[in-house]
Amino acid sequence: MSELHKNPIKKRKKHILSAMAILIAVLSLTACGNRPTSQERVLAVFEEQKDTICEMIQTYGLGDTAKWHELGEELEGVLRVHNMAVPGYDDGVLQFLCIAEGIAPASFEAGFYYSPDDEPILIGWGLSPEPAELVEDGDGYSWTDGTDNRYYTERICENFYYYEEAN
């Protein structure tokens, strides 16, 4: 007879250890599945601060870069507010950076931006003197240069868009 058949206590211990290992694995996988996506995290920041941001835009406009940098430090969940120089927009476009991970050439950024014309715009590192064209992609628009560099934007509400860029 095998050792386990001779000793029922060892057999129970083996089953208990196996059950515990399975339970730990299931709990670990469940915890990973409940983590909010980057888009959900950014939208939560936007929703909490939308009224304040809209009031700031009405009060200060878009052009005062120093003021926006200062005001951005007061917005919870926003790492930086930047007035982006974008061709065709005299006063620029306000970019609210909420997530910044990694180091180029393997980085990821996500946030939202204010588009004065309520049009999707390619902002961030993807900017170049040559205008890049966004293409429809699901609920939003995307751009890629054919490598691992990619950009995605989606309308949140009037004049505000979610964006993410990765390289």
Side-chain angles (χ1 to χ4, degrees), residues 62 86-90 92-93 113-121 155 157-161:
L62 305 181
V86 177
Y89 294 87
D90 294 338
V93 172
Y113 61 91
Y114 176 82
S115 171
D117 294 342
D118 196 21
E119 293 291 329
I121 303 168
R155 190 172 195 256
C157 66
E158 185 176 354
N159 297 101
F160 288 96
Y161 288 77

Side-chain angles (χ1 to χ4, degrees), residues 1 47 95 129 139 143 159:
M1 277 171 104
E47 288 300 325
Q95 174 191 28
D139 292 332
W143 168 87
N159 297 101

Side-chain angles (χ1 to χ4, degrees), residues 49 52-53 56 65-82 95-97:
Q49 321 236 19
T52 303
I53 292 167
M56 293 168 135
T65 303
K67 189 67 173 174
W68 275 106
H69 179 72
E70 177 186 318
L71 293 170
E73 293 175 1
E74 299 172 15
L75 298 171
E76 190 174 328
V78 175
L79 302 174
R80 180 183 75 220
V81 178
H82 185 70
Q95 174 191 28
F96 299 81
L97 176 65

Side-chain angles (χ1 to χ4, degrees), residues 46-63:
F46 173 75
E47 288 300 325
E48 284 180 25
Q49 321 236 19
K50 178 183 176 184
D51 294 337
T52 303
I53 292 167
C54 289
E55 287 173 20
M56 293 168 135
I57 290 170
Q58 287 180 351
T59 303
Y60 302 106
L62 305 181

